[in-house]
Amino acid sequence: MSELLIRGRVLTFVAEPQGIDDTASYRYFEDGAVFLRGGKVVETGNYVDISKLAGAEVEIADHRPNLVLPGLIDTHLHFPQTQAIASYGAQLLEWLNTYIFVEEQKFSRPAHAAAVANRFMDELLSNGTTTAVAYCSVHPESVDAYFSAAEARGMRMIGGKVMMDRNAPDALRDTPQQGYDETKRLIETWHGRGRAHYAISPRFAITSTPEQLEMSQALVAEHPSCYVQTHLSENRDEIAFATSLYPEAKDYTDIYARYGLLNDRMLLGHCIYLSDREISVLAETGAVGVFCPTSNLFLGSGLFDRDRFDRLGARWSVATDVGGGTSFSMLETMDEAYKVLHLQGQRLTPFSSFYRMTLGNARALGLENHIGSLHPGADADIVVLDSSAKSAMEYRMRTATSLLEELFILQTMGDDRCVAEVYVAGKAMKGKGKAGAARERVPEAV
């Protein structure tokens, strides 16, 4: 069974930071190591101690002076929109009809779906993201391409076919029965296969009839271990349209609640214009609101109110939302999250940002036993970050005197160039240039 010792400055969270000085929320080792065996973490700690545990013959990947963290996690994005990033000048509904629905029609072609899926996974990895939750297109071929590309790389990924039977081009519509049948077949093929998890995915209330939401409800009841994902309250025009289609609902959230879709495996993208009543419903059901800052700014949608979620006890996560989102980088996403919250007088500390990208998002997915931290038995999904990768960052880092400052520099100035290495289930996926690890045998501990 393959073994590897990763050496560097190791950071992993054990709890959500309660303030800027909450050192109990994380473990940090200035000269640290993570011992891997068979794609799992055996132990994490000081290099001197872990190297003794590993033994003299184990291979070492020496990433000093870089930071070693759990792989980053993205909880909402659209893989068919990979080539639609940076589509100019429209808010949500116009943007969907002008650009996105045109792009997604290409995914009926298996070769196109496979090509984009491979590029999508490589973009995630190049940005340090080792697990993501994505929407595929309405075509089953897109789901097969998505999970096949993830499986080839050994990635733990969540995704599913969008179900949409109205208010979309003919080529992108299924029927309630077709959506049910195709989703059920895809669940049987992919859910629980290797590291794959299926997400039942009615796109949103505007593109699903009541009959299709009933079919979604049946799928959720029949497959309780599957995730569920949809969109909620991203844009004021969207809200008005959705609630006009379901006039019996109290509000937008109540549409999904009436069909039994809200549970602790539900991921609701955006959640910008929710009333206190709606946020309280999310808190009661355990559903997760997904904060997508770059998308919300790019499409002019609005500002996510994190403090109300926290005050009312609702769960939330953070995501890129490619291709409304403008970057695959969770670092750049947290930079925008900081600004969105700052505009509302809300603080986002560097420790909270890195918690949210790792253990926080893992907890939102109920996968904290597998990913999001470097505890014994965790999957060996790891990112190595170089806080001096860009010349401006290197110059700024000369004045940094604390881990807090370094994390904020990474969050504010960082991008894919800061990702020195990525490990998926213990396998190095990059290893190029000065970012590549120096490999050697472990010497006797000193």
Side-chain angles (χ1 to χ4, degrees):
M1 189 175 290
S2 62
E3 295 183 338
L4 179 67
L5 192 70
I6 296 175
R7 186 176 187 180
R9 295 164 50 238
V10 177
L11 174 65
T12 185
F13 287 86
V14 296
E16 181 172 5
Q18 299 303 305
I20 204 163
D21 298 320
D22 183 10
T23 57
S25 65
Y26 63 89
R27 299 173 69 203
Y28 174 66
F29 305 96
E30 182 67 29
D31 186 7
V34 186
F35 179 34
L36 313 181
R37 178 187 296 136
K40 301 285 187 180
V41 174
V42 177
E43 189 57 89
T44 299
N46 290 305
Y47 171 74
V48 170
D49 300 326
I50 303 302
S51 62
K52 289 177 182 176
L53 174 67
E57 294 304 314
V58 74
E59 184 181 15
I60 181 171
D62 191 346
H63 288 288
R64 292 175 296 171
N66 294 338
L67 283 167
V68 176
L69 300 98
L72 308 182
I73 302 166
D74 188 344
T75 56
H76 178 111
L77 68 172
H78 297 256
F79 113 76
Q81 297 175 18
T82 298
Q83 286 188 291
I85 298 174
S87 295
Y88 170 75
Q91 291 201 342
L92 176 64
L93 298 181
E94 180 188 352
W95 175 80
L96 283 171
N97 285 297
T98 304
Y99 303 112
I100 300 309
F101 289 162
V102 174
E103 185 68 22
E104 291 190 4
Q105 291 179 55
K106 301 175 184 177
F107 285 79
S108 63
R109 306 197 305 268
H112 179 80
V116 177
N118 282 312
R119 181 59 178 264
F120 175 82
M121 298 300 166
D122 289 344
E123 288 292 341
L124 289 176
L125 292 173
S126 71
N127 283 279
T129 298
T130 52
T131 290
V133 187
Y135 292 75
C136 303
S137 73
V138 73
H139 314 98
E141 296 88 347
S142 73
V143 182
D144 292 334
Y146 173 84
F147 282 122
S148 293
E151 186 174 70
R153 292 159 179 78
M155 298 170 70
R156 186 180 292 279
M157 295 291 288
I158 302 166
K161 157 196 153 66
V162 293
M163 302 164 66
M164 43 196 296
D165 66 338
R166 66 172 166 183
N167 293 318
D170 290 347
L172 290 182
R173 292 206 303 265
D174 54 15
T175 67
Q177 189 64 50
Q178 180 187 1
Y180 173 88
D181 292 340
E182 290 178 345
T183 296
K184 196 166 185 67
R185 284 199 301 271
L186 290 164
I187 290 170
E188 291 168 356
T189 300
W190 290 108
H191 187 57
R193 173 170 155 177
R195 304 182 78 195
H197 304 263
Y198 199 88
I200 298 162
S201 306
R203 189 179 199 125
F204 64 154
I206 289 173
T207 53
S208 286
T209 60
E211 293 76 19
Q212 185 161 80
L213 291 187
E214 288 174 1
M215 288 296 191
S216 299
Q217 181 177 21
L219 287 164
V220 170
E222 292 164 9
H223 304 281
S225 65
C226 284
Y227 292 90
V228 196
Q229 60 179 350
T230 192
H231 298 78
L232 175 64
S233 294
E234 179 177 0
N235 169 286
R236 293 188 187 279
D237 290 341
E238 170 219 6
I239 296 166
F241 192 4
T243 52
S244 74
L245 295 172
Y246 291 88
E248 73 284 357
K250 297 175 185 176
D251 44 43
Y252 198 167
T253 301
D254 194 46
I255 297 171
Y256 300 130
R258 284 169 176 263
Y259 292 95
L261 299 180
L262 301 184
N263 60 37
D264 62 3
R265 300 179 76 77
M266 167 60 100
L267 302 165
L268 293 155
H270 307 294
C271 295
I272 295 172
Y273 298 105
L274 299 184
S275 66
D276 283 1
R277 190 207 81 82
E278 291 176 279
I279 296 175
S280 296
V281 169
L282 302 193
E284 291 164 10
T285 59
V288 177
V290 185
F291 178 16
C292 305
T294 74
S295 172
N296 297 159
L297 294 173
F298 178 72
L299 294 174
S301 298
L303 308 178
F304 180 83
D305 189 347
R306 181 210 57 196
D307 282 6
R308 271 203 311 142
F309 266 70
D310 287 349
R311 175 170 55 83
L312 294 170
R315 303 164 70 208
W316 60 279
S317 64
V318 185
T320 64
D321 191 28
V322 165
T326 52
S327 173
F328 280 88
S329 171
M330 287 299 295
L331 296 174
E332 292 186 304
T333 297
M334 297 313 299
D335 180 36
E336 297 306 301
Y338 172 86
K339 297 170 189 174
V340 165
L341 297 179
H342 210 36
L343 281 169
Q344 302 171 87
Q346 301 176 20
R347 289 286 183 93
L348 180 65
T349 72
F351 288 118
S352 292
S353 291
F354 277 80
Y355 163 80
R356 194 59 58 175
M357 288 186 280
T358 56
L359 182 58
N361 274 357
R363 286 177 167 177
L365 299 175
L367 290 174
E368 64 271 26
N369 290 336
H370 300 284
I371 57 174
S373 68
L374 300 176
H375 65 271
D379 296 347
D381 293 345
I382 293 169
V383 63
V384 181
L385 296 179
D386 180 358
S387 53
S388 298
K390 296 162 57 177
S391 61
M393 293 178 71
E394 187 278 329
Y395 195 59
R396 171 65 178 89
M397 277 294 295
R398 295 181 193 182
T399 66
T401 58
S402 67
L403 178 63
L404 176 79
E405 283 187 90
E406 181 177 9
L407 295 179
F408 194 59
I409 291 166
L410 272 167
Q411 171 188 325
T412 305
M413 302 177 73
D415 56 27
D416 61 313
R417 288 168 285 186
C418 299
V419 178
E421 183 59 277
V422 180
Y423 295 87
V424 173
K427 180 182 178 181
M429 305 299 286
K430 288 186 72 174
K432 62 181 181 181
K434 74 166 187 173
R439 295 188 175 274
E440 58 186 22
R441 294 290 177 183
V442 180
E444 292 184 8
V446 293

